[in-house]
Amino acid sequence: MHELKGIHHVTAITSSAEKIYEFFTTVLGVRLVKKTVNQDDIQTYHLFFADDVGSPGTDMTFFDFPGIPKGIHGTNEIAKTSFRVPNDKALEYWVKRFDRLGINHKEITEQFGKKTLSFVDFDEQAYQLISDENNQGVPAGTPWQKGPIPLEYAITGLGPIFVRVSHIDYFKEMLRKVLLFTEIAQEGSYHLFEVGEGGNGAQVIVEYNAVLPQARQGYGTVHHVAFRVEDRAALDEWQKRLQAFQFPNSGYVERYYFGSLYTNVAPQILFELATDGPGFMGDEPYETLGEKLSLPPFFEAKREEIEGLVRPIDTVRSTKEFAKEYED
């Protein structure tokens, strides 16, 4: 059985494609590597933010569904997304940066032996930065070389994903028996699981909470999380495994930039398995990633229609220079 390799991407919902582009580009210094549309809802943008070269395990993506209400955080949701930074000192840089830019954040704290810094965006989407200082396992990505963040402090990929559930025993058993995760630590109501090479890039933190009301998906919440598999053969193997455990699944879905398989592993918790390739640079050169509206070949015949449905967003950065912003 091909073990899952770690986190592939997280997909969330935003109230504004323009504002999330600005937030990730100028506040977080994470590169837009693909501007496309939701393949199941072509009037909706799908923006992919990742490391410098769009490596799997580094990208957070966003839908901006027209007219969707604000989400409600609670139990039974993918509750928070982590981003990796090189070391503890980087977190001190980010505290100063968030203070200067007026970003709502908590103080630096420690969980499972790693220092972290929690913050939210304009939609109250929940994130944290996590230090790689004491980390081993899945390698980090490459920070955006031409972005505004000094490279020694910059975000390098995705860290542990938080899932809040009201039925902890079921969820733990599902992770262990079906998805082959291993529980390696517990702190209070938080349970730390990892898979593959482990470390920050391959971990899920499960919080047991039967007190909060049921979460409701909307803007400001996560839509799904994806985990890495090597290729189509591994994905097909996982589909057979899910079927053996009687988990309903989508079957293979061609996303062009990667292949996918979706399954609801618990109420309101959607997991995706996604292949590492072919990646984001097949239809755009490195220098101008994310600057044009990219469409997979099976949508090119609809380009005029799609461009008429989505409003233009200026995402050109190759003609701009971002000075590195040190926070003294």
Side-chain angles (χ1 to χ4, degrees), residues 156-231:
T156 59
L158 291 170
I161 306 304
F162 285 74
V163 182
R164 188 184 299 120
V165 296
S166 58
H167 299 288
I168 185 68
D169 291 339
Y170 160 78
F171 203 82
K172 288 171 63 173
E173 186 175 26
M174 180 276 300
L175 284 178
R176 287 195 302 257
K177 291 187 177 180
V178 180
L179 299 182
L180 303 178
F181 278 76
T182 300
E183 184 173 5
I184 60 171
Q186 180 181 353
E187 291 183 2
S189 60
Y190 293 90
H191 303 257
L192 178 63
F193 287 81
E194 69 177 14
V195 73
E197 293 181 61
N200 286 339
Q203 293 180 338
V204 172
I205 296 173
V206 182
E207 177 192 354
Y208 170 56
N209 192 312
V211 177
L212 287 175
Q214 188 89 341
R216 188 185 73 192
Q217 199 166 85
Y219 69 81
T221 67
V222 171
H223 187 273
H224 66 269
V225 59
F227 298 94
R228 294 170 56 201
V229 300
E230 183 66 28
D231 51 24

Side-chain angles (χ1 to χ4, degrees), residues 272-320:
E272 175 187 354
L273 309 184
T275 61
D276 274 354
F280 295 110
M281 289 199 283
D283 59 349
E284 290 182 286
Y286 165 84
E287 291 77 12
T288 56
L289 282 179
E291 296 193 0
K292 68 167 187 170
L293 180 64
S294 293
L295 297 175
F298 45 86
F299 274 173
E300 274 298 338
K302 292 185 174 182
R303 176 172 285 276
E304 186 175 345
E305 175 191 353
I306 291 170
E307 289 181 341
L309 289 171
V310 295
R311 64 209 176 279
I313 300 177
D314 181 7
T315 56
V316 173
R317 288 142 295 145
S318 57
T319 59
K320 301 174 183 176

